[in-house]
Amino acid sequence: MAVSTCPKAFASSFECRSDPDFSGGGGGFPRHEIPGPGRFTMRVGPSSSSSRGLSSLIFRFPPNFVRQLSTKARRNCSNIGVAQIVAASWSNNSASGVPAAPAATAVDAATTAAAVPAAPVEGASGDDVAVSGNGDLPSVQGLPDLKESSFLSSDGSLSIHAGERLGRGIVTDAITTPVVNTSAYFFKKTADLIDFKEKRAISFEYGRYGNPTTVVAEEKISALEGAESTLILASGMCASTILLMALVPAGGHIVTTTDCYRKTRIFIEAILPKMGITATIIDPADVGALESALNKNKVSLFFTESPTNPFLRCVDIELVSKLCHSKGALVCIDGTFATPLNQKALALGADLVLHSATKYIGGHNDVLAGCISGPLKLVSEVRNLHHIIGGALNPNAAYLIIRGMKTLHLRVQQQNSTALRMAKILEAHPKVAHVYYPGLESHPEHELAKRQMTGFGGVVSFEIDGDLMTTIKFVDALKIPYIAPSFGGCESIVDQPAIMSYWDLSQSERLKYGIKDNLVRFSFGVEDFEDLKADILQALGTI
């Protein structure tokens, strides 16, 4: 038997064999059966003609090698990819005749086919190789095929286990999801490729179309949003722009709100008109203006944030959804400020919910990502355009999103509490002119926020009683928060929108958007409340 060539770095660590011996002798693997409740069954033995379909390269590790490598991985991030990919590759490929990952299109299609019973893969040989009709990959051996609704009742538990212990497409006994760093997926023979093209087999085919690590992040977000499907992309703006282009036809019309992220406004006002798409911009609470826009135009989509950026205005999602649906218009809510824990936009009637996962979902100021959740049909339309345009999330970034979500409920609970307590303190302070926070009774949509939100978020915007330079003095006197864009991370962040986001505009132009020179946006992290309180009060004391 020929011995495959291996990197010298591993020459003394394990034996590489081009074809394993499954006879049960000669150091090979014994006959065994891999069960997967309701999802996958495979028997491998000496008589199995499918045994050659297993990995063409099997790594035979010496005792303790995996444990040693895992220990080193904690000190060297590059080893994580080696250890996890080797484990995932061996385990996935050990399922003869089963592709290593579902096709990107099959990721969405799987949702509607979940009730299809197990059926043999066409062309499979050997003993009892079967895959469920929804294209799911086998669960980890020995773990039950668990369902979210069966034993978990909280978002906190779902954010930890959804997409992983509750059913993960990657076969591994690792607690954490492996990072699958690959740009393409191979087919063992041309017949397998043809089966894939004719939809008898499943694969991602190419890295832009999907990745097993990314799918876990998508499933975790879907579980929190109560969505059929989720698409995760390279950034929040990537998600917004692709969604708008995919769902609004040329010559179409959208309605959006005055208060929103500036780059979203620029895309709507400057880029979409080049595609013949026009927009009506209304106040977030002006239901009459929305009704008027729906009556005057053939509106394709109502797109807004709730709460909005930076004044944290809230939109009555249930009401606007009913109005829009009566006219055949879709509703998409950017819930980045709310998080999937504080607000369930889909349950309130919205068709789609979008997040900049860079913010609370990632939660550690270390990753860029965006996501869109909703019905299978709509998300598939966006996914199809995404496959053309690109903007795929790197699997290492997907891993960071997955990791970050496991503390999402803890972080959001702390940030909700700190922000509300500080908003009340700021509102009562003589050097603060105005506070914008939906948890305050003074907020114009406070009652609405109480109805449709379970928490009010970790961002508080407020105006210092002073001019641009006075506000700069306050910001510079702060010792805990970083002066930076973004929000939602563990570290507190502060910025002056007039400088951070609107400095290229004149003061009069900024005022058209309500951006005063004394406006401050403060994103509370997870630092101790008393430390943050003392820091803000001492900074106010300097002005």
Side-chain angles (χ1 to χ4, degrees):
M1 182 179 294
V3 178
S4 300
T5 303
C6 293
K8 291 182 180 180
F10 296 112
S12 61
S13 297
F14 56 78
E15 174 190 356
C16 288
R17 301 181 59 193
S18 58
D19 283 294
D21 176 8
F22 290 98
S23 64
F29 295 91
R31 176 185 173 91
H32 59 284
E33 181 175 307
I34 304 176
R39 301 177 67 180
F40 178 85
T41 303
M42 184 184 82
R43 295 192 186 96
V44 178
S47 62
S48 173
S49 59
S50 66
S51 64
R52 294 286 178 175
L54 291 161
S55 174
S56 60
L57 183 63
I58 298 296
F59 297 113
R60 304 295 300 279
F61 299 108
N64 297 326
F65 173 79
V66 174
R67 184 175 64 188
Q68 292 166 5
L69 187 56
S70 297
T71 301
K72 292 179 180 178
R74 285 190 282 271
R75 299 192 296 267
N76 183 348
C77 291
S78 64
N79 283 346
I80 295 175
V82 175
Q84 293 178 330
I85 298 310
V86 167
S89 175
W90 182 88
S91 299
N92 279 340
N93 289 328
S94 67
S96 177
V98 180
T105 52
V107 171
D108 279 345
T111 308
T112 57
V116 179
V121 176
E122 289 195 37
S125 58
D127 298 334
D128 298 330
V129 179
V131 180
S132 64
N134 66 359
D136 281 347
L137 289 170
S139 298
V140 178
Q141 182 178 1
L143 287 182
D145 191 23
L146 304 173
K147 303 297 180 186
E148 291 93 334
S149 59
S150 64
F151 68 106
L152 297 182
S153 59
S154 73
D155 284 342
S157 297
L158 284 176
S159 65
I160 295 169
H161 292 299
E164 296 185 282
R165 185 171 179 81
L166 298 177
R168 177 166 54 195
I170 303 172
V171 182
T172 173
D173 59 359
I175 291 176
T176 56
T177 293
V179 180
V180 182
N181 280 310
T182 186
S183 59
Y185 304 83
F186 74 92
F187 299 88
K188 284 180 265 188
K189 54 184 182 297
T190 302
D192 293 342
L193 173 58
I194 293 173
D195 282 345
F196 164 69
K197 292 296 182 181
E198 296 183 356
K199 303 189 185 304
R200 292 188 296 273
I202 51 178
S203 171
F204 283 120
E205 183 184 13
Y206 188 59
R208 192 171 72 248
Y209 306 146
N211 179 279
T213 309
T214 302
V215 168
V216 171
E218 291 175 341
E219 292 179 351
K220 199 176 284 292
I221 294 167
S222 287
L224 288 181
E225 290 290 4
E228 283 187 312
S229 182
T230 291
L231 170 63
I232 194 164
L233 305 94
S235 71
M237 274 307 299
C238 183
S240 298
T241 55
I242 290 180
L243 179 143
L244 290 169
M245 289 190 291
L247 299 181
V248 183
H253 191 87
I254 68 171
V255 178
T256 189
T257 51
T258 51
D259 191 28
C260 70
Y261 178 53
R262 190 184 176 199
K263 291 298 189 293
T264 305
R265 181 189 294 119
I266 290 172
F267 183 77
I268 291 172
E269 294 181 344
I271 307 301
L272 287 184
K274 296 179 181 180
M275 306 174 192
I277 297 172
T278 54
T280 296
I281 302 174
I282 64 172
D283 183 89
D286 195 342
V287 176
L290 173 60
E291 290 180 299
S292 176
L294 290 169
N295 291 329
K296 292 179 181 179
N297 306 280
K298 184 173 175 54
V299 177
S300 302
L301 177 70
F302 176 53
F303 181 88
T304 185
E305 302 164 6
S306 187
T308 60
N309 182 18
F311 295 111
L312 305 165
R313 300 290 302 278
C314 297
V315 175
D316 190 331
I317 300 172
E318 186 174 8
L319 177 58
V320 301
S321 296
K322 289 178 180 177
L323 292 173
C324 290
H325 293 161
S326 69
K327 295 293 185 177
L330 298 172
V331 174
C332 178
I333 301 296
D334 182 335
T336 301
F337 275 81
T339 78
L341 303 186
N342 286 332
Q343 179 176 275
K344 305 290 186 185
L346 299 180
L348 291 167
D351 298 287
L352 295 160
V353 60
L354 180 147
H355 293 275
S356 171
T358 305
K359 312 303 191 295
Y360 289 102
I361 290 177
H364 289 76
N365 292 319
D366 60 1
V367 62
L368 293 175
C371 61
I372 302 162
S373 301
L376 171 65
K377 182 179 182 298
L378 291 177
V379 175
S380 294
E381 288 185 45
V382 182
R383 192 185 293 275
N384 288 338
L385 181 60
H386 164 60
H387 288 171
I388 296 169
I389 293 180
L393 187 71
N394 184 281
N396 295 281
Y399 177 86
L400 292 176
I401 293 294
I402 294 165
R403 186 205 62 181
M405 288 186 70
K406 297 188 181 189
T407 58
L408 177 62
H409 61 300
L410 302 175
R411 291 185 283 104
V412 168
Q413 181 180 12
Q414 172 79 359
Q415 289 162 314
N416 285 345
S417 173
T418 297
L420 179 58
R421 293 168 72 185
M422 279 309 311
K424 292 177 179 179
I425 292 171
L426 288 167
E427 189 173 46
H429 200 283
K431 294 183 180 179
V432 176
H434 193 84
V435 180
Y436 303 91
Y437 188 69
L440 297 176
E441 292 183 4
S442 59
H443 190 279
E445 287 87 47
H446 174 63
E447 292 301 320
L448 170 62
K450 286 201 301 183
R451 289 202 313 270
Q452 68 183 23
M453 300 179 73
T454 56
F456 304 112
V459 175
V460 178
S461 294
F462 54 95
E463 292 167 357
I464 295 295
D465 186 14
D467 57 10
L468 180 72
M469 294 310 299
T470 302
T471 308
I472 289 174
K473 186 176 181 181
F474 162 73
V475 170
D476 287 350
L478 292 165
K479 299 176 181 179
I480 293 177
Y482 293 93
I483 301 173
S486 197
F487 58 90
C490 291
E491 300 87 356
S492 290
I493 283 178
V494 66
D495 76 88
Q496 229 171 315
I499 300 174
M500 183 66 72
S501 302
Y502 290 86
W503 193 243
D504 58 314
L505 302 181
S506 66
Q507 186 182 55
S508 60
E509 289 174 318
R510 293 196 294 268
L511 286 173
K512 291 178 183 178
Y513 302 108
I515 306 298
K516 298 180 182 179
D517 289 345
N518 61 346
L519 179 65
V520 174
R521 191 183 72 172
F522 201 115
S523 169
F524 289 96
V526 296
E527 300 95 344
D528 181 76
F529 168 76
E530 293 297 335
D531 286 340
L532 287 166
K533 174 185 172 182
D535 189 31
I536 291 173
L537 292 179
Q538 68 81 23
L540 287 170
T542 66
I543 59 176

